[in-house]
Amino acid sequence: MLRLRFMNGARAGEVLDFGEDVVTIGRADTNGVVLRDDGIFANHAKVLFDGTAWSIADVLSASATFVERLGIHNAVGVDPLTLSEGDLIRLGSAEQGVEITVNFVADVDDARVVAVRKIDDIAPSAATLDADPKRLQALYAVQKRIGGCSDLAQLLSLLCDEIFSLVRGVTHCTIVLRDDDGAESSQGPAVYVPVLTRVRGLVGASPVPIPTTRSVYRKVIAERAAVLAADAPNEVGETESLLSADIRSVIGVPLWRGEEILGVIQVDNRESPGVFASGDLELLATLGHNASLAVANCRLLTRLRAAEERLKKENSFLKGREQSRRTGGRGPIAIIGQSNAMATLLEHLAKVVDTRVTVLVEGETGVGKELIASALHYQSRRRDRLFVGQNCAAMPESLLESELFGHKKGAFTGAHEDKKGLFEVADGGTLFLDEVTEMPLSLQSKLLRALQEGEIRPVGSNVERRVDVRIVAATNRNLEEEVSAGRFREDLYYRLKVFPLRVPPLRERRDDIPILADHFLKIHGREMGKPVAGYSQQAMEVLQAYDWPGNVRELQNEVQRLVIQVEQGEFITPDLLSPRIRQTAEALARARPEKGSLKEMMDQVERVLLLESLREHGNNKSAAARTLGITREGLHKKLRQFGLT
């Protein structure tokens, strides 16, 4: 029993004894020890008993908790600190804190028990079973019913009912469980909490709390044994809990898993002394053996269900966030564009979305090949599984093979454990292989087998694994030229190019530039908290006239830079554009003819175009002529016509 003596503060001089296993201390009325002193928080600390020792833990209070022992101050955190006889607890600061001395008072508990069965010796004796074979049959039937339970609450209720049916003298059945949800490991001392009390003749749990016999279940925990006291007040000791409960006979049976005591089943009789016998102890101890496994399994299933539900929620959140990141938060397909070229692309995409064929996405750098691949996934029936992407140019051959197909522990230096490859991670979903032409030839053959057979072999393994993965590949090169040059396998080329999708460059869909520019303006304006009025007409004309060799990616980067430069609430003007883009504006200005007849204006434009071509090619007339699509003689003729020779 714990004895706390208050040395100062509002309760100075008081002495309190506690038989409970958890004593909470703080300002709140819900605490076992209520302290109104300054510097004490609502829930300041708690003192715990684990069956063998008392300890103290701070409950995340803003002020400290200390334990002074032999002149040394020990700070207490959320992890419990074991208490010793005579320790001084200080709650709060040295100036305002409350000091409490700790003493331990023994329960009058010499526990002169009638019978004890250690965990290792638990089994019904032959004499007991021979004397009552019907009990053996009943015990077998009970264990089958208990073993079929998967819900902890249902199991505990059933366990109490079966105990009433097996042992006639039981009037009350209480189950105490370790308060750590059955975790594999727990920090600090174990705390045991009564979770269910049943009374014979009452349906359901007892409507009022039934006092538990701490002296009995502590002995069960300490000795790791089943305990029988035939006349509890005399045999176990006349402790307060026994007398207040008027218990005449008690049995405590452990629930355990390995070295862990999961809890205690306590049964008692409150009507006549000497009811329970050694046979009852052996029977209940044997039942407890099977019940231990059932309780451990139910708690494990409960944790697994909770973990599965948590993982489902996390997975749903992460997939939603990833989809939003890829699509710009505009739903499963955020492919922006109203041009004829994009309409054709979307029409082709819709035809292949729910097929299993391999898709090859072709297009220049920055056109949005990965966006097309993700749209293909999120519109398909595979949308609930993973979309995994890998840039084949981002890793050397040895690492890329491991990344795609996985490896076994010890397969190579640094392979300290088994690793799943992206094919396994994306099983049931979609694997996007970007820049597939960068994959080494030796690895292309392994990819071909995975595509044809649906099987992969991790590095260092001799076992094939089946996978169901849809492959979407992408390249910015001409695959036919790569095959002709011997840099890409012809058989893999035919396997990948089952259904090609060509993403048009931005210069072929100039009508989409205003829509894309507005979209990026809203995104980056929101990210930076800087609303922008929009684009001036001249700025938009320049953006549409530029060829965008970097395509949509280059346009997005340019808009981001513009949002940084422009003043809040202002329009974007041509002078804010990058120099390479402004050159287009200057060319347009020079090419804009003065008013006159049609022939005069056409001559002005033609003159400017001739000069621009010569300037771009360093006055190399042959190169300029090829660019303009005319002969060198034709170029000389026009230069003479405009007086430029």
Side-chain angles (χ1 to χ4, degrees):
M1 184 179 296
L2 176 69
R3 175 168 292 170
L4 300 180
R5 188 184 303 273
F6 296 87
M7 309 304 295
N8 64 347
R11 304 188 67 163
E14 288 189 37
V15 178
L16 299 178
D17 291 340
F18 297 93
E20 297 87 352
D21 283 354
V22 180
V23 180
T24 56
I25 306 174
R27 295 180 66 89
D29 293 333
T30 53
N31 289 288
V33 178
V34 179
L35 299 177
R36 305 294 188 187
D37 302 83
D38 294 338
I40 303 299
F41 281 74
N43 299 291
H44 199 111
K46 61 181 177 181
V47 184
L48 316 168
F49 184 73
D50 65 354
T52 57
W54 287 92
S55 59
I56 185 170
D58 190 273
V59 190
L60 298 177
S61 65
S63 58
T65 299
F66 294 93
V67 172
E68 182 177 336
R69 183 179 303 156
L70 300 176
I72 299 175
H73 289 274
N74 301 283
V76 179
V78 293
D79 294 331
L81 176 69
T82 302
L83 292 170
S84 300
E85 176 73 18
D87 281 351
L88 179 68
I89 298 173
R90 189 177 78 238
L91 306 176
S93 63
E95 297 77 17
Q96 294 182 318
V98 175
E99 295 182 343
I100 308 168
T101 57
V102 176
N103 298 106
F104 304 125
V105 181
D107 292 325
V108 183
D109 188 8
D110 294 332
R112 297 186 303 276
V113 296
V114 172
V116 173
R117 292 289 183 272
K118 294 290 186 180
I119 285 176
D120 295 337
D121 301 328
I122 287 178
S125 66
T128 302
L129 298 179
D130 291 341
D132 193 353
K134 289 185 178 180
R135 263 194 166 185
L136 176 61
Q137 295 177 358
L139 180 61
Y140 175 71
V142 167
Q143 290 177 340
K144 283 181 63 178
R145 288 192 288 272
I146 289 174
C149 279
S150 59
D151 179 76
L152 183 60
Q154 180 186 0
L155 170 65
L156 299 182
S157 180
L158 176 62
L159 187 56
C160 290
D161 289 339
E162 300 296 355
I163 288 173
F164 287 140
S165 67
L166 284 173
V167 185
R168 296 186 183 88
V170 175
T171 60
H172 295 73
C173 178
T174 299
I175 299 179
V176 180
L177 292 181
R178 180 169 171 165
D179 189 27
D180 61 359
D181 197 28
E184 291 294 335
S185 61
S186 59
Q187 295 183 350
V191 177
Y192 294 87
V193 179
V195 294
L196 178 66
T197 297
R198 295 288 299 276
V199 180
R200 184 184 289 274
L202 290 180
V203 178
S206 173
V208 295
I210 303 296
T212 57
T213 312
R214 292 182 302 275
S215 56
V216 172
Y217 86 77
R218 287 177 183 173
K219 185 174 295 296
V220 172
I221 294 170
E223 297 190 14
R224 296 174 53 80
V227 176
L228 163 62
D231 190 358
N234 297 324
E235 300 299 334
V236 179
E238 295 186 0
T239 61
E240 180 182 353
S241 61
L242 286 167
L243 293 175
S244 64
D246 195 26
I247 296 175
R248 307 301 300 169
S249 182
V250 64
I251 293 178
V253 176
L255 299 170
W256 76 96
R257 180 183 56 185
E259 297 300 315
E260 279 188 294
I261 299 295
L262 303 178
V264 175
I265 302 173
Q266 178 185 304
V267 300
D268 50 71
N269 176 277
R270 305 185 183 192
E271 295 177 357
S272 60
V275 171
F276 299 135
S278 295
D280 298 320
L281 175 67
E282 291 172 350
L283 189 70
L284 291 176
T286 304
L287 177 63
H289 183 281
N290 274 55
S292 299
L293 180 61
V295 168
N297 287 342
C298 284
R299 295 195 117 177
L300 177 60
L301 284 172
T302 300
R303 294 202 310 277
L304 288 176
R305 291 190 190 107
E308 183 180 19
E309 186 63 27
R310 185 174 64 253
L311 287 174
K312 282 183 179 178
K313 291 179 180 178
E314 291 176 357
N315 193 29
S316 176
F317 169 75
L318 290 174
K319 285 197 296 186
R321 189 174 67 177
E322 176 66 8
Q323 179 177 341
S324 179
R325 183 188 72 81
R326 293 181 184 276
T327 63
R330 293 167 60 94
I333 176 168
I335 302 175
I336 300 170
Q338 300 175 356
S339 63
N340 292 333
M342 291 305 297
T344 301
L345 172 63
L346 295 179
E347 181 182 346
H348 291 166
L349 188 146
K351 291 179 180 178
V352 76
V353 66
D354 269 327
T355 66
R356 297 189 59 178
V357 301
T358 302
V359 175
L360 178 66
V361 184
E362 299 175 302
E364 298 178 2
T365 298
V367 293
K369 296 187 290 295
E370 185 171 356
L371 182 62
I372 296 298
S374 63
L376 191 65
H377 171 78
Y378 289 114
Q379 291 186 52
S380 73
R381 287 189 289 266
R382 295 174 178 258
R383 68 177 67 89
D384 293 330
R385 306 306 290 269
L386 288 179
F387 175 81
V388 182
Q390 174 62 47
N391 189 319
C392 298
M395 287 186 174
E397 177 181 354
S398 57
L399 292 181
L400 181 59
E401 182 179 8
S402 171
E403 191 71 14
L404 292 177
F405 302 104
H407 64 250
K408 297 293 289 182
K409 180 179 179 180
F412 50 84
T413 303
H416 301 301
E417 58 184 12
D418 290 356
K419 176 187 175 181
K420 283 187 177 182
L422 295 184
F423 270 91
E424 284 190 85
V425 172
D427 193 15
T430 303
L431 176 58
F432 174 60
L433 299 177
D434 197 9
E435 305 298 346
V436 70
T437 52
E438 301 296 329
M439 184 178 291
L441 283 169
S442 58
L443 198 52
Q444 290 177 23
S445 59
K446 199 166 184 178
L447 174 61
L448 179 63
R449 175 169 176 77
L451 290 172
Q452 290 178 336
E453 307 297 335
E455 294 180 344
I456 61 167
R457 180 182 294 177
V459 179
S461 174
N462 56 3
V463 178
E464 302 282 353
R465 297 181 184 177
R466 297 287 302 176
V467 290
D468 173 23
V469 179
R470 183 180 194 175
I471 299 295
V472 180
T475 180
N476 60 3
R477 295 187 182 183
N478 187 305
L479 266 183
E480 288 84 352
E481 293 179 0
E482 295 296 306
V483 171
S484 299
R487 292 188 293 267
F488 201 81
R489 292 178 62 105
E490 187 175 8
D491 47 3
L492 180 58
Y493 162 73
Y494 290 121
R495 192 66 181 82
L496 287 177
K497 202 165 183 176
V498 177
F499 195 94
L501 291 175
R502 179 181 178 273
V503 186
L506 200 52
R507 62 182 175 275
E508 294 181 11
R509 43 184 291 222
R510 295 184 188 274
D511 292 345
D512 292 334
I513 291 176
I515 305 173
L516 288 165
D518 286 335
H519 173 67
F520 295 139
L521 188 66
K522 291 175 183 176
I523 289 178
H524 295 301
R526 186 166 55 248
E527 287 178 353
M528 300 180 192
K530 189 178 183 181
V532 180
Y535 301 89
S536 69
Q537 182 178 348
Q538 296 86 349
M540 185 55 70
E541 288 176 357
V542 174
L543 291 176
Q544 285 187 275
Y546 182 59
D547 274 345
W548 300 105
N551 293 293
V552 180
R553 184 184 296 124
E554 183 183 5
L555 174 60
Q556 182 175 8
N557 293 340
E558 178 66 17
V559 173
Q560 187 176 23
R561 194 189 67 81
L562 290 171
V563 173
I564 295 173
Q565 283 190 301
V566 71
E567 296 296 329
Q568 183 170 319
E570 297 292 331
F571 283 91
I572 293 174
T573 53
D575 59 292
L576 297 175
L577 299 173
S578 299
R580 67 182 183 282
I581 299 176
R582 283 204 305 269
Q583 289 177 1
T584 305
E586 294 166 359
L588 286 174
R590 289 194 296 271
R592 185 174 291 112
E594 298 179 359
K595 294 294 183 179
S597 66
L598 178 61
K599 183 179 185 308
E600 290 173 342
M601 290 190 290
M602 291 295 293
D603 287 345
Q604 293 178 49
V605 171
E606 190 172 2
R607 186 175 188 277
V608 170
L609 293 176
L610 291 171
L611 290 173
E612 282 295 317
S613 182
L614 288 171
R615 183 183 61 78
E616 288 177 5
H617 293 90
N619 212 36
N620 185 321
K621 295 181 175 61
S622 297
R626 282 195 301 271
T627 301
L628 293 171
I630 59 178
T631 63
R632 180 182 173 87
E633 292 73 16
L635 176 61
H636 277 289
K637 181 179 179 181
K638 287 191 175 290
L639 291 177
R640 286 194 298 271
Q641 178 184 341
F642 294 117
L644 299 176
T645 54

